[in-house]
């Protein structure tokens, strides 16, 4: 599974970085930066929660393969 951010839709609320700090950090303006787009099995539940709670639905999880 891979994580993507729709940068046009994102408003920089930062909920994703709070819920998934293992994969997402924030830039100086508060917008998310995905360090590694590949979501491991161990983090898949947290990744799904972060995507579901994004207020702008800018975070997406895509099947890899």
């Amino acid at each position: 599974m891979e994580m993507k951010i729709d940068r046009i839709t994102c408003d920089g609320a930062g909920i994703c970085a709070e819920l998934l700090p293992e994969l997402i950090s924030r830039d100086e303006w508060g917008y998310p930066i995905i360090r590694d787009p590949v979501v491991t099995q161990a983090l898949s539940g947290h990744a799904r929660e972060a995507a579901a709670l994004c207020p702008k639905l800018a975070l997406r999880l895509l099947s890899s393969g």
Side-chain angles (χ1 to χ4, degrees):
M1 179 178 338
E2 289 189 13
M3 182 172 289
K4 302 283 183 192
I5 296 173
D6 180 342
R7 299 208 176 273
I8 294 172
T9 303
C10 179
D11 68 356
I15 294 171
C16 58
E18 297 288 327
L19 293 172
L20 198 58
E22 299 88 350
L23 296 180
I24 303 173
S25 59
R26 297 173 79 182
D27 68 12
E28 59 268 23
W29 298 284
Y31 287 91
I33 298 170
I34 297 177
R35 292 187 289 262
D36 182 1
V38 177
V39 178
T40 63
Q41 184 68 26
L43 293 176
S44 64
H46 293 290
R48 289 181 201 283
E49 181 180 16
L53 293 176
C54 176
K56 296 292 186 172
L57 301 177
L59 194 62
R60 305 273 182 199
L61 291 172
L62 307 171
S63 294
S64 51

